[in-house]
């Protein structure tokens, strides 16, 4: 938080009202995007039937599509979007690095490595097996990075980058030597929500939900930590404890999101930048806005992924990549380097 | 530089082979017709090949056909997709033979082919894939015959050409006759039930990451053998494309009801061991599948060996279909 970003003392109440207004506006937009997401797809379902499917379920094909395919998929998109966005906000705040994103902890590389090894050993045949391998890999990779680099943000980033390179290299070698493994990995490595809503998602979604609440609760401690470790210690904050809890949250959020949807880049990088300006230096508001903007971005991208191509659906990760690049450039140009 | 050296090496090998062949011609002169040649029409044009080849290299679809027919193979490409359909003897032969290429045409090992000293190279790859192969380099080693399927049903004509080129047509025709006899028997067995059914087929090449499934129509990999016993897969591809896209399509899972709602019975591809491939399992697990009339009437039938590309493979497909369709006769 900088002096320039901090609102003047006299306008604090007005600033708070503005933040609440923006949050409510964001929630309304999120609801609208979710409704569109549930209403749009390869099979045309009339709007009235969409409403009936939600409130008067009869088990027809239209109702099954809305209630059992699109609604769970929209929920999954919202959860993954929120997890990646909040994970990104946490890592950028902790590392004090505007280009940090959850993958920097080696989570994505760890998941990919575990899926590759699991496929080679015959443990990751189905989507369920891949999910378990991805969870285990992301958690182990993050633990390794935390164990080596937790003493300093820079060391943490370097450890994550190094581990990502090592795991990526070994996994690539394994895939090149075994075409079947390459084939299995190919399906997982495309970040997508299609079909993933049919997987057992209770545990990952519950973990994401708990971590999102914890991230909100951690906001005030992060505010203090953002002043710098020395200042935070002077103010009596539990710096080490806050750092460890933050790292655990990042690991679980990004690990769970990557495990259920595969690697989806840019959401964790771009959303915190979009949320930072209205949050005006407040970590709790940064978390709250990220929690709303992440789902909006991923739901919109997932809806676009279903309708953009006449030949069929494309992976949502491709859409986020297309959206993320220009949005990052727009953010930099709109707010200048200071926004970052 | 590497290419030039390699080309030079192959050229030297080819020269050595030629000299070696000239040197041994005296010894072979006693064998009637050994040095005879004939002109063979293939995808790559008219090719002069030995009338009785003795050292054959086979790749792609030619591999299973020529192993089954007992061709004089000295090198083959990898053909993993066919391994589950090989019997013990064929699998032993397949594993013993030198691998001169990988699964992809681009993985061709030209020096290994030259070392195998073939007198005929049979490429079993579709014509568009020939662009991945250095034909000039191969031709410097031995005559090259390229014959590959453009449509799934063409495995019949293609495999016959492979056998013809390799001089093992008699053994091939024996297998063909066995298959046709068996198919005729089953056609008679199911004639009271099968032709009346509107069938749909779910193939194993759906892409779960795109939320699609594979619907196969008449003339596709999963349906063409069943058609030989009287099955009829209704409908046609909405937007036909080249090759197999003219007989199969990839609708969204949301369109499962639209696509297969009219089917009286549905068949689906399973692995050789009976396990269900992930892309098919995603379909079978969906509630939309449970809503299909055919599924509610329990008119669904798994079919193994749907990748059959030889008559010997297709015999296994016939057995699998017979086992799966047997309950139809009791209904």
């Amino acid at each position: 938080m900088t002096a320039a970003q901090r609102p003047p003392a006299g306008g604090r109440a007005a600033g708070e009202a503005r933040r609440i207004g923006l949050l409510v506006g964001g929630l309304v937009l999120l609801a609208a995007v979710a409704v569109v997401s549930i209403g749009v797809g390869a099979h045309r379902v009339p709007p009235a039937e969409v409403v009936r499917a939600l409130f008067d379920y009869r088990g027809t094909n239209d109702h099954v599509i809305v209630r059992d395919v699109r609604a769970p998929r929209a929920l999954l998109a919202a959860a993954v979007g929120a997890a990646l966005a909040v994970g990104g906000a946490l890592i950028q705040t902790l590392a004090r690095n505007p280009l940090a994103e959850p993958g920097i902890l080696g989570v994505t590389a760890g998941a990919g490595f575990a899926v590759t090894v699991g496929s080679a050993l015959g443990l990751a045949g189905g989507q369920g097996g891949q999910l378990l391998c991805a969870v285990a890999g992301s958690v182990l990779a993050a633990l390794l990075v935390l164990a080596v680099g937790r003493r300093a943000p820079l060391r943490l980033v370097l450890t994550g980058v190094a581990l990502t390179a090592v795991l990526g290299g070994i996994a690539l070698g394994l895939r090149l030597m075994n075409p079947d493994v390459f084939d299995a990995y190919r399906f997982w490595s495309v970040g997508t929500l299609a079909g993933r809503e049919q997987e057992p998602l209770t545990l990952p979604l519950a973990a994401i939900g708990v971590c999102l609440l914890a991230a909100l609760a951690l906001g005030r401690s992060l505010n203090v930590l953002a002043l710098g470790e020395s200042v935070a210690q002077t103010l009596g904050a539990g710096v080490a404890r806050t750092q460890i809890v933050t790292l655990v949250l990042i690991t679980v959020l990004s690990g769970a999101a990557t495990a259920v949807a595969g690697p989806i880049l840019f959401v964790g990088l771009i959303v915190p930048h979009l949320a930072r300006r209205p949050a005006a230096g407040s970590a709790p508001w940064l978390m709250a806005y990220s929690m709303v903007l992440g789902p909006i971005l991923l739901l919109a991208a997932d809806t676009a992924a279903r309708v953009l191509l006449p030949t069929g659906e494309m992976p949502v990760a491709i859409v986020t990549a297309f959206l993320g690049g220009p949005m990052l450039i727009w953010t930099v140009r709109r707010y200048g380097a200071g926004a970052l | 530089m590497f290419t030039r050296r390699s080309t030079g090496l192959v050229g030297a090998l080819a020269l050595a082979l030629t000299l070696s062949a000239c040197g041994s011609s005296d010894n072979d002169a006693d064998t009637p017709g050994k040095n005879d040649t004939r002109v063979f029409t293939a995808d790559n044009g008219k090719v002069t090949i030995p009338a009785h080849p003795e050292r054959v290299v086979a790749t792609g679809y030619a591999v299973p056909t020529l192993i089954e027919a007992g061709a004089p193979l000295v090198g083959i490409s990898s053909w993993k997709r066919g391994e589950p359909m090989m019997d013990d003897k064929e699998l032993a032969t397949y594993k013993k033979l030198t691998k001169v290429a990988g699964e992809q045409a681009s993985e061709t090992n030209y020096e290994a082919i030259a070392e195998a000293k073939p007198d005929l190279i049979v490429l079993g790859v579709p014509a568009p894939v020939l662009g991945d192969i250095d034909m000039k380099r191969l031709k410097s080693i031995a005559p090259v015959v390229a014959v590959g399927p453009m449509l799934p049903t063409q495995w019949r004509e293609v495999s016959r050409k492979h056998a013809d080129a390799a001089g093992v047509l008699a053994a091939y025709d024996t297998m063909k006759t066995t298959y046709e006899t068996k198919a005729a028997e089953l056609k008679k067995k199911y004639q009271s039930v099968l032709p009346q059914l509107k069938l749909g087929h779910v193939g194993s090449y759906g892409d779960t990451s795109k939320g699609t499934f594979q619907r196969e129509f008449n003339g596709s990999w999963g349906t063409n053998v069943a058609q030989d016993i009287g099955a009829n897969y209704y409908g046609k591809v909405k937007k036909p494309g080249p090759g197999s896209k003219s007989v199969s399509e990839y609708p969204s899972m949301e369109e499962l009801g639209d696509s297969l709602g009219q089917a009286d019975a549905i068949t689906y591809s399973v692995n050789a061991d009976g396990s269900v491939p992930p892309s098919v399992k995603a379909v079978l697990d969906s509630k939309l599948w449970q809503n299909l009339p055919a599924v509610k009437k329990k008119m669904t039938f798994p079919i193994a060996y749907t990748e059959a590309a030889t008559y010997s493979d297709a015999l296994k497909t016939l057995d699998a279909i017979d086992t799966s369709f047997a309950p139809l006769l009791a209904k």
Side-chain angles (χ1 to χ4, degrees):
Chain A
M1 185 164 56
T2 65
Q5 288 171 318
R6 197 176 298 135
R12 189 164 293 169
E16 201 72 5
R18 185 170 167 273
R19 283 168 172 170
I20 293 170
L22 281 173
L23 185 64
V24 171
L27 287 170
V28 170
L29 182 59
L30 174 58
V33 175
V35 167
V36 172
S37 173
I38 291 172
V40 174
H43 175 86
R44 189 186 173 279
V45 182
E49 208 58 35
V50 173
V51 176
R52 265 196 288 277
L54 293 174
F55 301 107
D56 184 21
Y57 185 73
R58 299 281 175 88
T60 63
N61 278 351
D62 283 353
H63 289 195
V64 169
I65 287 168
V66 172
R67 187 89 163 250
D68 297 307
V69 179
R70 291 184 190 167
R73 181 167 169 168
L75 178 66
L76 179 63
V80 169
L84 292 174
V86 172
L90 287 170
I91 188 72
Q92 286 177 13
T93 304
L94 184 71
R96 275 172 275 154
N97 183 336
L99 290 176
E101 54 96 26
I104 213 164
L105 285 182
V107 170
T108 309
F113 178 75
V115 169
T116 302
V117 174
S119 300
L121 298 175
L123 302 173
Q127 285 190 359
Q130 287 185 341
L131 179 68
L132 287 175
C133 285
V135 169
S138 57
V139 170
L140 288 175
L143 285 177
L144 187 59
V145 171
L146 299 187
V148 176
R150 69 185 168 84
R151 288 186 183 173
L154 180 60
R155 191 168 170 171
L156 190 78
V157 170
L158 290 175
T159 309
V161 170
L163 186 68
T164 296
V166 170
L167 292 181
I170 297 171
L172 180 62
L174 286 171
R175 292 196 292 274
L176 289 177
M177 285 190 291
N178 191 330
D180 291 338
V181 172
F182 183 85
D183 208 37
Y185 177 81
R186 186 168 60 88
F187 283 103
W188 178 84
S189 66
V190 182
T192 181
L193 299 167
R196 306 286 166 101
E197 78 283 346
Q198 303 302 323
E199 292 301 306
L201 297 169
T202 309
L203 192 60
L205 293 186
I208 288 173
V210 169
C211 289
L212 291 177
L213 291 175
L216 278 177
L218 195 67
R220 289 188 188 282
S221 302
L222 287 171
N223 263 348
V224 179
L225 197 63
L227 298 172
E229 287 180 31
S230 305
V231 177
Q233 277 170 343
T234 308
L235 293 171
V239 174
R241 190 188 62 197
T242 304
Q243 285 177 332
I244 290 171
V245 172
T246 306
L247 289 170
V248 169
L249 292 181
I250 296 165
T251 302
V252 177
L253 285 170
S254 49
T258 305
V260 297
I264 297 177
L265 302 177
F266 274 111
V267 177
L269 178 67
I270 191 69
V271 170
H273 291 306
L274 294 174
R276 188 159 290 126
R277 184 105 176 161
S282 163
W285 281 105
L286 178 64
M287 298 305 142
Y289 285 135
S290 297
M291 237 171 263
V292 176
L293 288 174
I296 290 173
L297 178 63
L298 205 56
L299 275 166
D302 186 43
T303 307
R306 284 180 239 167
V307 298
L308 276 178
L309 290 183
T311 50
E313 192 164 325
M314 75 170 93
V316 70
I318 294 175
V319 181
T320 59
F322 269 98
L323 287 175
M327 280 174 77
L328 185 61
I329 294 168
W330 176 81
T331 307
V332 173
R333 289 182 63 84
R334 174 74 177 78
Y335 297 115
L340 302 180
Chain B
M1 183 168 288
F2 174 76
T3 308
R4 280 185 187 173
R5 281 183 182 171
S6 300
T7 310
L9 180 62
V10 172
L13 276 169
L15 181 62
L17 282 172
T18 310
L19 291 172
S20 165
C22 290
S24 63
S25 61
D26 287 344
N27 297 333
D28 298 337
D30 295 338
T31 310
K34 177 153 185 179
N35 295 320
D36 291 352
T37 59
R38 64 181 174 130
V39 175
F40 189 87
T41 304
D43 292 350
N44 57 325
K46 291 183 188 265
V47 185
T48 301
I49 63 170
H52 306 285
E54 294 181 337
R55 298 182 64 82
V56 179
V57 160
T59 70
Y61 287 93
V63 172
T65 303
L66 297 189
I67 288 178
E68 286 169 16
L73 293 167
V74 292
I76 58 170
S77 71
S78 174
W79 187 250
K80 284 191 174 177
R81 78 184 85 167
E83 287 182 28
M85 287 182 280
M86 294 178 190
D87 63 27
D88 291 346
K89 189 182 165 194
E90 289 162 3
L91 193 59
T93 306
Y94 167 79
K95 286 186 174 173
K96 194 177 166 188
L97 281 164
T98 305
K99 304 296 180 295
V100 296
E103 291 288 316
Q104 308 295 322
S106 56
E107 296 168 343
T108 303
N109 185 339
Y110 300 92
E111 290 179 16
I113 292 175
E115 269 187 39
K117 299 177 183 173
D119 57 5
L120 176 66
I121 299 169
V122 183
L123 302 179
V125 298
V129 181
L130 289 177
D132 293 341
I133 296 172
D134 188 343
M135 291 292 279
K136 192 176 173 186
R137 199 166 170 188
L138 279 186
K139 283 177 189 171
S140 73
I141 300 169
V144 181
V145 164
V147 184
M150 294 298 291
L151 289 170
T153 49
Q154 287 178 344
W155 63 262
R156 293 164 171 82
E157 298 84 16
V158 165
S159 59
R160 190 172 200 284
K161 279 204 154 191
H162 292 156
D164 185 12
V168 286
L169 204 49
Y172 172 88
D173 281 339
T174 305
M175 289 188 294
K176 183 181 177 220
T177 305
T178 308
Y179 170 83
E180 287 172 345
T181 305
K182 174 86 176 174
E185 280 173 19
L186 292 180
K187 190 169 188 175
K188 194 175 174 186
K189 182 177 175 181
Y190 290 100
Q191 68 181 0
S192 62
V193 286
L194 209 46
Q196 291 79 34
L197 293 176
K198 284 169 73 178
L199 285 160
H201 185 86
V202 177
S204 58
Y205 288 93
D207 187 345
T208 49
S209 69
K210 289 182 179 175
T212 61
F213 69 99
Q214 187 191 19
R215 165 92 190 273
E216 295 189 57
F217 300 90
N218 278 337
S220 189
W221 286 111
T223 59
N224 74 89
V225 176
Q227 281 180 260
D228 284 348
I229 67 164
N232 176 39
Y233 288 85
Y234 79 102
K236 58 183 179 180
V237 177
K238 282 180 194 163
K239 292 176 185 170
S244 61
K245 286 182 180 173
S246 65
V247 287
S248 67
E249 65 184 9
Y250 300 87
S252 162
M253 287 284 279
E254 288 190 3
E255 296 173 297
L256 197 58
D258 302 333
S259 181
L260 292 166
Q262 303 296 317
D264 299 319
I266 303 171
T267 55
Y268 56 92
S269 297
V270 295
N271 297 321
D273 61 1
S275 61
V276 182
S279 60
V280 178
K281 189 173 183 302
V283 174
L284 304 191
D285 287 346
S286 77
K287 286 192 178 178
L288 290 169
W289 171 262
Q290 303 300 332
N291 264 1
L292 291 170
V295 178
K296 285 180 176 170
K297 290 180 197 165
K298 299 190 176 174
M299 290 286 279
T300 60
F301 306 94
I303 299 180
Y305 304 112
T306 50
E307 307 89 351
T310 70
Y311 282 109
S312 179
D313 293 348
L315 269 171
K316 294 186 180 74
T317 318
L318 284 180
D319 286 337
I321 291 171
D322 187 22
T323 305
S324 193
F325 278 170
L328 271 177
L329 298 173
K331 292 195 178 191

